[in-house]
Amino acid sequence: MGDHKEVSNEGSLLADHNAYWTNLDEFVGDVVSFISLNTKTRIPLHSITPIGQLVIETAGQIRRWQVKLLIITMGITSMFWSVVVGFTIAILIAIFATGAFSSINQLLKIADDLDKNSE
């Protein structure tokens, strides 16, 4: 640590700023190692085996792939809902433009008149 290192928290411009301490794969481990190396602690948290270092690096790579997949999924979901909302708005505009609501009102009045006449 000490050098600049990019980490993948949640893939969100707003949420990433507050998500460092939930990133156990990249951020928290580096902070613990940095503290262990640069303080007079008697617990050698920084001395890990080469396999342990590989596990840490792999966890970071997996984390970055998960965040990339999350970003892609959020983008697809956002596009899907944009299309749904767009179609809904287009349908509502078409209904208003064709005067369908006035036709529905006329049918409701006729049904109401029929109901009154049957009493």
Side-chain angles (χ1 to χ4, degrees):
M1 199 162 164
D3 295 331
H4 172 76
K5 179 182 176 185
E6 186 173 330
V7 295
S8 299
N9 293 327
E10 296 181 11
S12 167
L13 200 59
L14 298 174
D16 273 1
H17 183 69
N18 295 320
Y20 287 101
W21 289 107
T22 61
N23 186 347
L24 301 176
D25 300 322
E26 293 180 290
F27 180 75
V28 176
D30 283 349
V31 171
V32 170
S33 293
F34 180 81
I35 291 170
S36 176
L37 281 168
N38 295 292
T39 62
K40 295 181 181 183
T41 181
R42 287 181 265 157
I43 304 169
L45 299 172
H46 59 276
S47 72
I48 58 174
T49 64
I51 293 174
Q53 184 62 37
L54 180 63
V55 168
I56 291 171
E57 290 171 8
T58 304
Q61 290 173 346
I62 291 170
R63 173 74 176 217
R64 286 186 288 282
W65 277 104
Q66 288 173 331
V67 171
K68 286 177 186 176
L69 185 60
L70 177 65
I71 291 168
I72 291 168
T73 304
M74 287 188 304
I76 291 170
T77 303
S78 185
M79 285 188 290
F80 169 78
W81 284 111
S82 295
V83 169
V84 168
V85 168
F87 276 124
T88 303
I89 291 171
I91 289 169
L92 289 173
I93 289 171
I95 288 171
F96 281 115
T98 60
F101 279 125
S102 62
S103 300
I104 292 171
N105 272 341
Q106 289 173 355
L107 288 174
L108 289 174
K109 283 183 182 179
I110 292 170
D112 192 38
D113 289 343
L114 290 173
D115 188 41
K116 287 179 183 176
N117 290 335
S118 66
E119 292 176 358

